[in-house]
Amino acid sequence: GSAGLAFDPVSETLYAMLKLSAPPNGDVGDRVLATLDPVTGQAVLVGNPAAERLLKFSAIAFDDAGQLYGVTGDDTNAVSPETLFTIDKESGAAVEFLALGNGDEGEALAFDSENGLLIHASGGSAPQTQVLETVDPATKEVTAVDLQGGWEEGRSLTYLGEGQYLIADETTMHLVTGDGLVVPVATVDHIAKGIALAPSPTPELEISRIERGVDGTVIAFPANGVQGYLIESSQDLNTWQERLASAVEQGQVEVEFTDTEATADVPMRFYRVTRNGPR
């Protein structure tokens, strides 16, 4: 399962706090930090912040400087339930930052990049105490946000900009305005345990033109948004040979490559183009 999702604005990497039934490397605890590929879904283990104290993180968030924070739920292993920690994104090691102690379940965390404040949501559905508050990382000052309305147990939270937040419970996503008004905006058919705003994945390159002539075979593809590329060819779709690795020239709209070996006497040849180098 998931216990949080966060996008690092510095490395432009998506991170997830994952709940595993059997943590790797013989570690204890059921929460591990991993990077997550937004295209393939592949998770790569970073570390286990719960290995020593069995901390049950419920949400994570990055600040603008790339510092990762995590908040625990109603966890007796924390110094105080609902405790804020800093988490090393390279090793996963967690260090206590601030005891919050608000609410009793439904922890969620986000970062307001416009004001430099962490946003913490806590508490379940009425009549349980529901809390929305900001935390200044520089001073550790906690300020409550007066709410008009509420949600069921809060599962995830993200900042949309202009003083607005999006919070999800088990069935509904709610918009929380700057003055604390809670407005349902969408329904969900699953528990959204982690919301992150991240750039759309860069699309793969696609060959747009193939022309065969006496001098060889010409292939072409759009150059928009591409810095570097790799062209490969194959006779059987199993073994690939590099044909050209190069950078796109400034202002270039289309990349055109002529394979002089693919003349009329070559019965068949396959090509593929992938991004190569910095994007």
Side-chain angles (χ1 to χ4, degrees), residues 53-57 72-83:
R53 301 172 60 186
L54 306 180
L55 300 172
K56 293 188 179 297
F57 285 98
T72 59
D74 192 0
D75 186 356
T76 56
N77 288 297
V79 175
S80 173
E82 294 83 37
T83 301

Side-chain angles (χ1 to χ4, degrees), residues 149-171:
W151 50 85
E152 300 296 326
E153 182 179 347
R155 297 289 187 166
S156 54
L157 177 71
T158 194
Y159 184 66
L160 300 178
E162 299 181 353
Q164 299 185 99
Y165 322 120
L166 186 69
I167 188 167
D169 56 28
E170 296 188 8
T171 62

Side-chain angles (χ1 to χ4, degrees), residues 131-220:
V131 173
L132 186 67
E133 58 193 3
T134 62
V135 180
D136 188 335
T139 64
K140 299 187 179 181
E141 180 181 0
V142 180
T143 304
V145 176
D146 293 330
L147 292 172
Q148 305 171 54
W151 50 85
E152 300 296 326
E153 182 179 347
R155 297 289 187 166
S156 54
L157 177 71
T158 194
Y159 184 66
L160 300 178
E162 299 181 353
Q164 299 185 99
Y165 322 120
L166 186 69
I167 188 167
D169 56 28
E170 296 188 8
T171 62
T172 309
M173 289 189 178
H174 305 263
L175 179 68
V176 184
T177 63
D179 58 2
L181 181 63
V182 182
V183 181
V185 293
T187 58
V188 290
D189 60 359
H190 60 280
I191 297 175
K193 198 65 184 77
I195 301 175
L197 299 181
S200 299
T202 304
E204 292 299 320
L205 297 179
E206 184 174 347
I207 296 174
S208 57
R209 180 165 55 92
I210 299 181
E211 299 172 352
R212 195 165 191 178
V214 295
D215 296 328
T217 299
V218 176
I219 67 170

Side-chain angles (χ1 to χ4, degrees), residues 41-152:
Q42 181 181 15
V44 178
L45 176 67
V46 173
N48 185 347
E52 296 181 359
R53 301 172 60 186
L54 306 180
L55 300 172
K56 293 188 179 297
F57 285 98
S58 296
I60 56 175
F62 277 99
D63 66 12
D64 283 346
Q67 174 61 61
L68 180 61
Y69 293 85
V71 64
T72 59
D74 192 0
D75 186 356
T76 56
N77 288 297
V79 175
S80 173
E82 294 83 37
T83 301
L84 193 62
F85 288 79
T86 57
I87 302 175
D88 190 313
K89 64 184 179 184
E90 302 296 333
S91 67
V95 177
E96 183 180 342
F97 183 77
L98 179 64
L100 296 170
N102 291 323
D104 51 8
E105 56 183 305
E107 308 304 313
L109 195 64
F111 185 73
D112 175 350
S113 58
E114 294 171 331
N115 297 298
L117 300 173
L118 286 162
I119 310 160
H120 172 235
S122 184
S125 56
Q128 297 166 325
T129 302
Q130 209 160 69
V131 173
L132 186 67
E133 58 193 3
T134 62
V135 180
D136 188 335
T139 64
K140 299 187 179 181
E141 180 181 0
V142 180
T143 304
V145 176
D146 293 330
L147 292 172
Q148 305 171 54
W151 50 85
E152 300 296 326

